[in-house]
Amino acid sequence: MLCLGPPLLFFLVKPLLEAAVAESSFHLPAPQNVTIISYNFQNTLKWSPVMGINSSAVSYRVEHCKKSDCVWAEEVDSTNITKPEYYFTNVISEFVEVIFRVRTEQGELKSDWVETAPFQARTQTILGPPREIDATVEANSIFVSYNAPFDNKSRFFVFQYLISYWEKSTDKDLPSSDKVVVDTRDTQYTLANLMEMTEYCFHIQAVLPEKDLHGRLSDTYCKKTSFTETRRILFITLTFIFAVIILIIVFFCLMVIQKHQNVIKSLWGPPLTIPLHYEEDLQNPQMTVVEEFKNCAGEDHWDSVSVLPSAEQNPTVTNSTDGNNQNVHLLETDEFR
């Protein structure tokens, strides 16, 4: 039986071990959901996190190449990435169409590469709305100022701005035909010749005309116009004239009342009239007195009293009673007569 020494046994086993290690190097899970998110030319490569062997931490490696001449290259900061994302804003130009790939690494273990679709920031980035929007009312005009969606000093993009404005309505979905759209390259614009004392709403959108890249709409802002200077002066003048006319009318009414008081009183308070049945009775006073006397004599008890100035000299009192009536007569003295 052939006996093999340790050196010879090592050389025989080594290829098998290398093959086993090579085979096990692709056992790490590959990243999933690899996507590129670009907002205002801030580009981020993202993917789902991967757990390593025995749930240990892993790192990631990212490479990219030009679509026209794909030679995979890696940047200094694109290796040993611990988070499932990679920022590459300054890696490539926004004009270049590139492809990215990413894999998982853990020591000697590696996963398969996962590639992205071709990406060009110039056409695929998402433009945000203009920033720092401000609106000021100037009579029947609205002065609007704003800034670019991002700091444009290092990129020299030429933006165009679309300003849509309309008269405020209760309808939530206003037809586009009822909106006025103006375009400008300036970061300020005046919405002029609007209706006075009317509320207008507007929003702004940034556009890169070279690639027909439209940004997101800004929030809707509403402002109410005021009177023009001419209309304001006219309103004040008419108000003053109206007040003067009212004062003149009041003064004239007071003068008329002062001069024709009797006439006004007769108009407002007509003379009192006696009812017809009372007037007929008053035309015959004696009959009225007799009838009233009889009524009183038949119904009421009454006493007749005469007081003498000096009752001690000739006090003569006559008492008479007739039915329910009692009369007391105090006879006058000769002097009083």
Side-chain angles (χ1 to χ4, degrees), residues 31-37 43-49 62 83-88 102 116:
Q32 301 294 323
N33 304 320
V34 181
T35 56
I36 296 176
I37 299 174
N43 312 315
T44 306
L45 177 67
K46 291 189 174 184
W47 58 89
S48 300
V62 176
K83 295 182 179 180
E85 59 185 12
Y86 172 66
Y87 298 94
F88 60 94
V102 59
T116 65

Side-chain angles (χ1 to χ4, degrees), residues 316-329:
T316 303
V317 178
T318 302
N319 295 330
S320 63
T321 302
D322 185 12
N324 293 328
N325 297 329
Q326 182 178 4
N327 298 327
V328 179
H329 300 279

Side-chain angles (χ1 to χ4, degrees), residues 66-117:
K66 296 180 181 180
K67 181 182 177 182
S68 58
D69 182 17
C70 190
V71 177
W72 294 106
E74 62 182 29
E75 300 297 325
V76 177
D77 58 347
S78 64
T79 59
N80 297 324
I81 301 171
T82 57
K83 295 182 179 180
E85 59 185 12
Y86 172 66
Y87 298 94
F88 60 94
T89 301
N90 299 322
V91 174
I92 57 173
S93 171
E94 60 270 6
F95 299 94
V96 179
E97 192 171 13
V98 295
I99 300 173
F100 282 84
R101 66 179 186 178
V102 59
R103 73 179 181 186
T104 308
E105 296 182 351
Q106 186 179 20
E108 296 297 329
L109 301 178
K110 299 175 179 62
S111 70
D112 293 330
W113 290 100
V114 178
E115 297 182 6
T116 65

Side-chain angles (χ1 to χ4, degrees), residues 44-184:
T44 306
L45 177 67
K46 291 189 174 184
W47 58 89
S48 300
V50 178
M51 298 302 296
I53 303 299
N54 298 326
S55 299
S56 57
V58 298
S59 61
Y60 307 95
R61 181 182 296 269
V62 176
E63 295 180 353
H64 71 273
C65 71
K66 296 180 181 180
K67 181 182 177 182
S68 58
D69 182 17
C70 190
V71 177
W72 294 106
E74 62 182 29
E75 300 297 325
V76 177
D77 58 347
S78 64
T79 59
N80 297 324
I81 301 171
T82 57
K83 295 182 179 180
E85 59 185 12
Y86 172 66
Y87 298 94
F88 60 94
T89 301
N90 299 322
V91 174
I92 57 173
S93 171
E94 60 270 6
F95 299 94
V96 179
E97 192 171 13
V98 295
I99 300 173
F100 282 84
R101 66 179 186 178
V102 59
R103 73 179 181 186
T104 308
E105 296 182 351
Q106 186 179 20
E108 296 297 329
L109 301 178
K110 299 175 179 62
S111 70
D112 293 330
W113 290 100
V114 178
E115 297 182 6
T116 65
F119 171 79
Q120 185 184 26
R122 182 78 172 186
T123 58
Q124 294 178 249
T125 191
I126 298 174
L127 281 180
R131 301 170 299 149
E132 302 174 2
I133 297 176
D134 186 37
T136 304
V137 176
E138 298 177 355
N140 64 333
S141 301
I142 300 177
F143 179 76
V144 183
S145 61
Y146 42 87
N147 287 325
F150 55 90
D151 187 4
N152 194 23
K153 295 180 180 179
S154 61
R155 295 180 180 270
F156 303 106
F157 289 120
V158 179
F159 284 102
Q160 184 177 359
Y161 301 96
L162 301 180
I163 305 175
S164 301
Y165 66 95
W166 62 94
E167 186 177 342
K168 188 175 182 181
S169 174
T170 56
D171 300 331
K172 294 183 179 179
D173 299 326
L174 194 67
S176 58
S177 59
D178 294 339
K179 298 179 181 180
V180 180
V181 181
V182 295
D183 60 274
T184 178

